[in-house]
Amino acid sequence: MHSNQTKILILNGPNLNLLGSREPIIYGSHSLEQIKRLCETRATELNVEIDFIQTNHEGEMLEHIHDGGARFQGIVLNPAAYSHTSVALLDAVLAVDVPVVEVHLSNIHKREEYRKKSFVSFGAAGVIFGFGATGYILALDGLVAKIGANKMVE
Ligand code: DQA
């Protein structure tokens, strides 16, 4: 690994550790570990380095986003249920100076009313939802393209 390689943080929120067995009709059959491996494979192809993290705690998510802003060039974020409740998470996303791509496995607009609003989206560089595990790959691709485009105008 080269220290000047683009580094991307992939941060997963509450209950995503249960993927695979958790409501597979909605979230698909991939476990989080399998999604992590898919991301690692794509990261190698894109020539970027990733850290893949999951936490069930809102405060820890905030700290990871702060850290992401300081040590990574971009963040892929599935805030899970905190998307719909947390202004603090939005504020953290707004506070960091790196692009954040929000991802949801499910199509949050085709579900309960309360899932249609994501506070985080206001601060996101882009949002991907409804593609299951593939959404993480789309998010990585989009984020790397954005980081590359930003570099060109620097
Ligand atoms: C989710 C959608 C959220 O509404 C839900 O609370 C999750 C997962 C998704 O990936 O589809 O935990 O973020």
Side-chain angles (χ1 to χ4, degrees):
M1 297 263 171
H2 307 291
S3 55
N4 61 351
Q5 201 172 20
T6 297
K7 284 176 68 182
I8 291 171
L9 173 65
I10 305 180
L11 178 59
N12 295 281
N15 301 309
L16 294 173
N17 54 312
L18 301 178
L19 286 179
S21 62
R22 175 189 179 205
E23 301 186 273
I25 304 261
I26 295 173
Y27 297 118
S29 55
H30 285 86
S31 67
L32 195 62
E33 188 55 38
Q34 287 170 327
I35 294 176
K36 179 182 175 183
R37 275 191 241 120
L38 290 174
C39 289
E40 281 167 351
T41 302
R42 188 69 188 135
T44 305
E45 289 163 1
L46 291 167
N47 193 29
V48 298
E49 210 181 304
I50 58 165
D51 261 17
F52 193 99
I53 293 173
Q54 190 274 332
T55 172
N56 290 317
H57 304 278
E58 185 176 3
E60 280 181 19
M61 290 191 76
L62 299 179
E63 279 158 18
H64 284 304
I65 292 169
H66 302 165
D67 179 50
R71 293 198 305 118
F72 294 78
Q73 279 72 55
I75 303 173
V76 171
L77 174 63
N78 185 346
Y82 291 138
S83 320
H84 319 300
T85 62
S86 179
V87 175
L89 215 49
L90 167 61
D91 283 348
V93 167
L94 290 173
V96 295
D97 207 15
V98 298
V100 177
V101 174
E102 179 182 354
V103 59
H104 299 280
L105 295 146
S106 63
N107 179 351
I108 54 173
H109 290 282
K110 208 180 170 186
R111 300 185 59 194
E112 299 92 338
E113 246 351 271
Y114 58 82
R115 293 188 203 273
K116 291 186 181 168
K117 166 85 187 164
S118 166
F119 286 103
V120 172
S121 298
F122 183 77
V127 186
I128 289 167
F129 51 85
F131 290 96
T134 306
Y136 281 76
I137 305 301
L138 299 174
L140 255 183
D141 284 358
L143 184 56
V144 169
K146 246 183 213 301
I147 293 166
N150 287 351
K151 272 189 187 152
M152 282 166 67
V153 295
E154 259 168 22

